[in-house]
Amino acid sequence: MRISTSLMSHVSSNGPFQKIRRGSILTLVLALVTIVLPPLAQATYTLFGPFPVMTTTYGSGPITIVHPTTNSPGTWSYTSSNPQVATLSGNTAQILSVGTTTITATQAASGTYNERSRSTQLRVSAGTPSIGVFPSQSVQITAKTFTLTAPTSTSNADWIFTSSNPQIALVSGKTVTLLDGGAVVITATQRASVNWISVSVPMTLTVIASNPVLGPFGSITIMKDSVASLSLVPPTSSSTGAWTFSSSNPTVARLVGNIVTPLAFGSTVITATQAPIGSFSSARATMTLTIQGALPTVGAFPDVTTAYNLTTSHTVTLSPPTSNSYGAWSFISSDPTVATISGTTITMLSPGVTKITATQSATSTYGPSEPVSMNFTVLGAPTFGTWSDIEKVVRDPDFTLTPPTSTSPGTWTFSSDHPDVVEVVGDVAKVKSAGKAIITATQAATAFWQSGTATINVHVTGDIPTLGAFAPIDGGVGDDPIVIKPPTSNSSGSWTYSSSNKKVAIVKDGAIVIVGVGVSTLSATQSPSGIYSQSNTVQTMITGKESPVVGDFANLKIVYGSAIPKILPPTSTSTAPWSYESSNLSVVKFVGSAIQVVGIGSAKITATQAATSTLAGAKKTFTIQILVPSGPTPKPTTKPTPQPTSTAQPGSNPVVKVKVLKRVLTVSVSGASATVTINGAKAKIGKNTLKPGLYIVIVSISKKIVFSKTYRIK
């Protein structure tokens, strides 16, 4: 400032500068100040690029964390939220277990750039263990058993073993019992563990045994009625193993031991099987037993009805009748415009009926069969054209439903799955309310066409409901569920709710359950109803707080007319004030926290401690009993104060009269409508018959006490 004053003085009093105006001098001074003073430093905001989720598998080694791109030169540091999953050294993450951890990358402040952090998740899934060699092996059958050794593995999970052929090698635990010669695949499977997936590795176990040398086992042909039974003789063998026999077709020949009984014309393969013994493996030999007959016995050839659809295959494989002959079958269609036949394949061409005739050709054993026929009916599955969805608005007029085009001439009927939204009468649809209805069009079956259905959606848009405020919700962890009070709405639609943070609050059966400390957003949406569509989504805040630890209130017994004690709140970890509410206002009322005795009886008191910024509110209940006094009649605790009501005459006060005659107590009230209680119970205006005892009569007008007096009934 001193420099500026001197400069102005100098300029105004010397030489040619005397004519410079004062405004020019100020401009010059400001320019000089700008040159002399340095500019102020300003903070620069650090900008990050994306920091994507990282995934890896257990056992694949450490991973290098690549920080987000940034405009700051500041140094980076990293933290892991779950060191049991991964620990960090610089930007290298050592993987310790399967799981998820949050990686936070923090860039330090540098120069004018501020410090900033960004987080992402590192997800570690189970890895594949490294398995050693599981070598194939050969063992002599005479060893009888063989012990398996599991391959080495980086996992320590248990191994299980299975055999591809238990008739050669049977596995139990690690012990293999050798039953027959041959090769089997033994599969070793290691179970999955926390950090490793399950893996399997096979090996081939060859059981070495000698193959028996068998003699001939010739085929046999007999006539069905020529022998009742015959004994099978096994082939000669260099092994002494026992023989068993089986028939591939028990309907042709029955086998019991080595005795064959012919049953029907045809052929069956008889298999003779020799069991393994000593150093010999099992052995098998086969022969064909043919039972001849003159004529085949043909079974039923039932009618067939099948569907014809333009969008599916038009072929059907025909099953010929059963027969004891093995001759080839041939088939003929009486109407090739409906269906043609090639071999046993029927190709359908159009809906209708054709007769299929089947004939079995002759063989060396049997002659040709008699022709058998059946009716082959093709029912067309109608093909529908496009049937488009419909959009309507509440209060739109009725509209006629037009069915889709169809290949069938069948008649149409219509139905609605939500007649409260769209009602269907005949083919006329009536809009009822907002929502969605599925309209089903059903086409009746005809002689050669199946019935079919098509559906469309009719969306009816209604008015958007007008919603009121959605009050915030506070609650304590572990408290009873808080019933959600939805916003006011001119729609009667049902509400659905969702919590954004299920670690703080969850929604269950229309109530909020506080499960943790924090905040969550509660979203509410009202479903369509009547003329109203679905509402907009409204939100409010849920605050979960720790619940205070509160002791219990003591129950109180107070003799009517005696001194009224003060309520002593229980111990509580919260310092918030208490408020009180009586369940029976004809017995006890509250003025602030002071008890006001009204009548004889019992009241349940709900004590509510207010919430604080860190603790939730609390509720406790206790009981206050107002007892009938003994001895002289006490004075009422509340002095009657007559109150005029809307039913009283202008300028008049209500008059209460009570008379006692023997055991009848009569109450009369003039000038207003009133309610009467006797010992806290609702009583009549008029005659009340009572038992002997002490009774407090209270008369209230518009919920205000205008009369209170005690009477003794003898």
Side-chain angles (χ1 to χ4, degrees):
M1 193 67 172
R2 186 179 305 161
I3 294 173
S4 300
T5 303
S6 174
L7 178 62
M8 291 177 64
S9 174
H10 178 77
V11 169
S12 63
S13 61
N14 288 285
F17 293 100
Q18 291 180 358
K19 296 182 179 181
I20 297 177
R21 295 181 181 179
R22 179 177 297 272
S24 300
I25 294 173
L26 290 175
T27 301
L28 177 62
V29 171
L30 290 175
L32 290 174
V33 171
T34 303
I35 295 171
V36 172
L37 296 178
L40 295 176
Q42 296 182 352
T44 303
Y45 188 73
T46 301
L47 300 176
F48 283 168
F51 195 21
V53 172
M54 294 174 281
T55 60
T56 188
T57 58
Y58 182 80
S60 60
I63 66 170
T64 300
I65 299 172
V66 179
H67 62 70
T69 58
T70 177
N71 60 346
S72 169
T75 58
W76 288 90
S77 60
Y78 307 90
T79 60
S80 168
S81 67
N82 191 346
Q84 295 180 343
V85 173
T87 60
L88 293 173
S89 176
N91 67 335
T92 300
Q94 298 291 337
I95 306 303
L96 302 180
S97 177
V98 167
T100 300
T101 183
T102 298
I103 302 298
T104 300
T106 302
Q107 190 173 31
S110 177
T112 61
Y113 291 92
N114 60 329
E115 180 184 284
R116 193 180 176 197
S117 298
R118 177 160 290 181
S119 299
T120 189
Q121 285 189 336
L122 171 58
R123 299 170 184 170
V124 182
S125 58
T128 302
S130 178
I131 305 300
V133 178
F134 191 35
S136 297
Q137 299 187 53
S138 297
V139 64
Q140 294 287 339
I141 192 172
T142 53
K144 295 185 179 179
T145 61
F146 175 72
T147 301
L148 295 167
T149 301
T152 60
S153 172
T154 52
S155 170
N156 59 0
D158 294 337
W159 288 90
I160 57 175
F161 302 92
T162 56
S163 169
S164 64
N165 190 345
Q167 294 180 342
I168 294 176
L170 181 65
V171 178
S172 176
K174 294 182 179 181
T175 301
V176 181
T177 301
L178 309 176
L179 301 177
D180 202 352
V184 296
V185 175
I186 303 296
T187 301
T189 300
Q190 190 172 35
R191 300 181 189 273
S193 65
V194 174
N195 293 320
W196 301 102
I197 64 173
S198 175
V199 292
S200 296
V201 58
M203 73 90 156
T204 300
L205 176 64
T206 302
V207 182
I208 301 173
S210 300
N211 294 321
V213 179
L214 302 181
F217 190 44
S219 297
I220 303 173
T221 299
I222 61 172
M223 298 298 293
K224 179 178 179 296
D225 298 326
S226 62
V227 292
S229 63
L230 67 153
S231 298
L232 293 174
V233 178
T236 59
S237 174
S238 57
S239 169
T240 59
W243 288 93
T244 57
F245 302 91
S246 63
S247 170
S248 66
N249 191 348
T251 62
V252 171
R254 181 176 64 241
L255 259 173
V256 179
N258 68 330
I259 304 301
V260 178
T261 301
L263 298 178
F265 302 126
S267 299
T268 182
V269 175
I270 304 296
T271 301
T273 303
Q274 189 174 33
I277 188 171
S279 62
F280 287 100
S281 65
S282 63
R284 288 171 181 78
T286 60
M287 66 90 163
T288 300
L289 173 64
T290 302
I291 311 298
Q292 292 184 342
L295 294 173
T297 302
V298 176
F301 195 30
D303 293 343
V304 173
T305 299
T306 188
Y308 175 82
N309 193 318
L310 292 176
T311 61
T312 60
S313 173
H314 302 157
T315 61
V316 174
T317 300
L318 191 62
S319 297
T322 59
S323 174
N324 56 356
S325 170
Y326 53 86
W329 288 92
S330 60
F331 305 92
I332 298 174
S333 171
S334 65
D335 189 347
T337 64
V338 174
T340 59
I341 301 178
S342 176
T344 57
T345 300
I346 298 180
T347 300
M348 297 175 287
L349 301 176
S350 65
V353 179
T354 183
K355 179 177 288 187
I356 305 297
T357 301
T359 303
Q360 191 175 32
S361 62
T363 66
S364 58
T365 305
Y366 298 98
S369 70
E370 294 291 335
V372 289
S373 299
M374 64 92 163
N375 290 324
F376 186 79
T377 303
V378 178
L379 289 180
T383 301
F384 301 142
T386 302
W387 202 27
S388 300
D389 291 346
I390 298 173
E391 299 288 338
K392 290 291 180 180
V393 178
V394 167
R395 294 181 286 271
D396 272 359
D398 299 349
F399 59 97
T400 301
L401 294 167
T402 302
T405 59
S406 173
T407 53
S408 167
T411 57
W412 291 92
T413 56
F414 303 91
S415 64
S416 170
D417 72 329
H418 277 85
D420 57 325
V421 177
V422 177
E423 180 185 11
V424 175
V425 179
D427 62 349
V428 176
K430 302 174 180 289
V431 175
K432 294 291 187 180
S433 63
K436 184 185 81 170
I438 298 176
I439 305 300
T440 300
T442 302
Q443 189 173 37
T446 64
F448 300 119
W449 291 94
Q450 296 174 305
S451 66
T453 59
T455 60
I456 58 169
N457 296 314
V458 179
H459 297 270
V460 180
T461 303
D463 299 333
I464 300 298
T466 302
L467 305 181
F470 197 15
I473 298 173
D474 286 1
V477 177
D479 286 353
D480 292 338
I482 305 168
V483 177
I484 300 172
K485 184 178 181 181
T488 58
S489 173
N490 52 0
S491 169
S492 61
S494 60
W495 289 89
T496 56
Y497 306 96
S498 64
S499 171
S500 67
N501 188 347
K502 292 180 176 55
K503 293 183 179 179
V504 172
I506 59 176
V507 178
K508 184 177 182 181
D509 300 330
I512 293 296
V513 180
I514 304 299
V515 296
V517 175
V519 294
S520 177
T521 300
L522 178 65
S523 298
T525 304
Q526 193 174 29
S527 300
S529 178
I531 64 171
Y532 294 99
S533 292
Q534 178 174 299
S535 73
N536 297 321
T537 299
V538 292
Q539 296 180 325
T540 190
M541 188 68 69
I542 303 171
T543 304
K545 302 177 181 178
E546 292 289 350
S547 295
V549 180
V550 181
D552 292 324
F553 281 85
N555 295 327
L556 298 178
K557 292 184 178 180
I558 303 171
V559 176
Y560 186 86
S562 64
I564 300 174
K566 291 184 178 180
I567 296 177
L568 297 177
T571 59
S572 174
T573 55
S574 172
T575 59
W578 289 88
S579 60
Y580 304 91
E581 183 179 357
S582 171
S583 66
N584 191 344
L585 298 179
S586 64
V587 174
V588 172
K589 293 182 178 180
F590 282 89
V591 178
S593 61
I595 302 172
Q596 185 182 61
V597 175
V598 179
I600 301 296
S602 177
K604 181 179 179 181
I605 308 303
T606 300
T608 302
Q609 189 174 34
T612 69
S613 60
T614 57
L615 292 174
K619 286 185 183 294
K620 287 286 185 176
T621 60
F622 62 98
T623 301
I624 295 180
Q625 282 186 283
I626 307 302
L627 305 176
V628 176
S630 59
T633 302
K635 295 181 179 180
T637 59
T638 305
K639 184 178 180 181
T641 303
Q643 299 289 333
T645 68
S646 60
T647 59
Q649 296 296 323
S652 64
N653 291 325
V655 178
V656 179
K657 293 182 179 180
V658 178
K659 293 182 179 180
V660 177
L661 181 62
K662 295 184 180 181
R663 295 185 180 178
V664 177
L665 188 150
T666 304
V667 181
S668 63
V669 181
S670 61
S673 296
T675 57
V676 180
T677 61
I678 299 178
N679 282 357
K682 187 175 182 180
K684 296 182 292 185
I685 296 177
K687 294 181 178 180
N688 296 272
T689 303
L690 305 173
K691 295 179 180 180
L694 196 64
Y695 295 92
I696 298 175
V697 178
I698 296 175
V699 178
S700 300
I701 297 176
S702 299
K703 297 184 179 180
K704 294 183 179 180
I705 298 174
V706 298
F707 180 89
S708 177
K709 190 173 182 180
T710 302
Y711 297 88
R712 186 179 295 279
I713 304 296
K714 297 181 179 179

